[in-house]
Amino acid sequence: MGNTGFIIFLALLSAFVPLSTDLYLPALPEMTKFFAVPEIVMNLTLILFFVFYSIATLFWGPLSDRYGRRPILLVALTLYMLASILCGIATNAYEIIFFRILQAIGGGVATTVATAVIKDVFVGRKQETTLAIVQSMVVISPAVAPVIGSLLLTFISWRGIFFAQALLGLSVIYGSIIFKETHASESGTTSVMKSFGRLGALLLNPGFTALLVTFSLMSIVSLSYISSSSYIFQDTFHLSSRMFSLFFSFNAIGMLLGPLVYIPLSKYIDRFTIIYASFGITIVAGILVLMFGQMTPIAFALTQFPATLASSAVRPPGTYLVLKQEENDNGSASALYSAGGTIFGSIGMVIVSVAEATPIAAIAWINIIMGAICGVLLLVSMTFLRKKIII
């Protein structure tokens, strides 16, 4: 692959979750009307995707430690591709929900293995920098995907979007075929049950678990916005799907800038200072959304932007700090980190779905409460850190 190709491959793997959701976000209102179901039913295609995605990561991570990264990628990504095709030919909303679950199970391998591979190959400052670069490339997908999805809807129906996801799966399968293994198989020395048992052993490390919970909670901020944005812009503010994609892309720039801003800042400012500042910015953004966000779509996008930027900026140092607590079991540690983020993110999606009458206020309070909770939890987590974090 070469170094550039290797980084692009890892970024594409890590982008599987946003591409599996954001590409069809502009079609959600249309799909809701097409199948004549309540909004909450169609939102289950998002909520259950993240629930089963998080469960799947807990299996794929330990299995990749036992059998190697490459064979696990090939099996899971093939399932993802087939499930995408089935979504495209579904005849009712409940079929799509079921096939999206299959998509989630297959796609659950991507982020877990991508993070594990980075930890397999890189160490210290290079590891944190690579995480930031990959994640900054990853968040381009939320900016581009809704625009592409909106453009696709002008030529094809929502079904074609799922076929596009199948093509995405096929491209990553090809990358996995030429991918050079970074972790030797342990199938001859470790039982399957012992591999899964490492998940529990990791959770018994108080430093790992404390940081895992702290940074996973920030996913509530990002995923609650992602899941409700199409309804806020199209139903609350009565914008077209194309206009929604433009507003969504504006906020997605914050997702892109977060890791890119963190890289140079971390050379001069302590990472914990940046993290605490990000939590504070999230709180301030929530207050601004509460005060001004309901006025116009521009006001909502502008006031939500700082929270989007801040939640993205804590991802590279958060990932690094969590994984630094364990030097072994990269696949299992990455699985728990991926699962934690998606589980808590799914909670945020449920909250905004329940509060569908006042989604903007729900987003505002999520920003305020999560920013405050994460700040307090990080202070508490410092007590449990098993080792000094150095680069």
Side-chain angles (χ1 to χ4, degrees), residues 20-67:
S20 296
T21 55
D22 298 348
L23 191 64
Y24 88 117
L25 280 180
L28 269 180
E30 177 187 338
M31 292 168 66
T32 302
K33 295 174 184 176
F34 181 88
F35 290 116
V37 294
E39 179 181 313
I40 184 63
V41 172
M42 194 52 61
N43 260 359
L44 287 175
T45 63
L46 279 172
I47 295 170
L48 292 180
F49 179 93
F50 283 102
V51 170
F52 281 88
Y53 174 89
S54 62
I55 294 172
T57 60
L58 297 178
F59 286 91
W60 296 127
L63 289 175
S64 73
D65 281 338
R66 175 174 168 78
Y67 296 108

Side-chain angles (χ1 to χ4, degrees), residues 8 27 33 65 80-81 97 100 106 114 145 163 168 188 198 205 246 256 293 351 369 378-379 385 389:
I8 292 174
K33 295 174 184 176
D65 281 338
Y80 173 91
M81 181 183 67
I97 290 172
R100 281 282 289 173
F163 295 134
L168 170 67
R198 293 304 304 160
N205 177 346
L246 294 177
L256 170 63
I351 292 172
I369 294 172
L378 184 57
L379 285 172
L385 292 186
I389 304 299

Side-chain angles (χ1 to χ4, degrees), residues 70-122:
R70 187 169 176 268
I72 296 302
L73 277 173
L74 291 173
V75 170
L77 292 174
T78 299
L79 173 62
Y80 173 91
M81 181 183 67
L82 294 176
S84 300
I85 296 172
L86 291 173
C87 284
I89 61 176
T91 58
N92 59 67
Y94 300 98
E95 286 184 5
I96 289 184
I97 290 172
F98 176 71
F99 296 142
R100 281 282 289 173
I101 289 173
L102 295 182
Q103 252 194 336
I105 294 172
V109 74
T111 306
T112 298
V113 170
T115 306
V117 167
I118 291 174
K119 198 164 185 293
D120 289 340
V121 176
F122 304 105

Side-chain angles (χ1 to χ4, degrees), residues 210-211 213-218 221 272-283 314 366-383:
L211 290 174
V213 173
T214 299
F215 291 107
S216 294
L217 280 171
M218 281 300 285
V221 173
F272 287 100
T273 301
I274 298 174
I275 293 170
Y276 283 121
S278 297
F279 293 154
I281 290 171
T282 302
I283 295 172
V314 301
I366 285 173
N367 291 345
I368 295 169
I369 294 172
M370 287 303 105
I373 290 177
C374 289
V376 172
L377 284 180
L378 184 57
L379 285 172
V380 176
S381 299
M382 297 300 291
T383 305

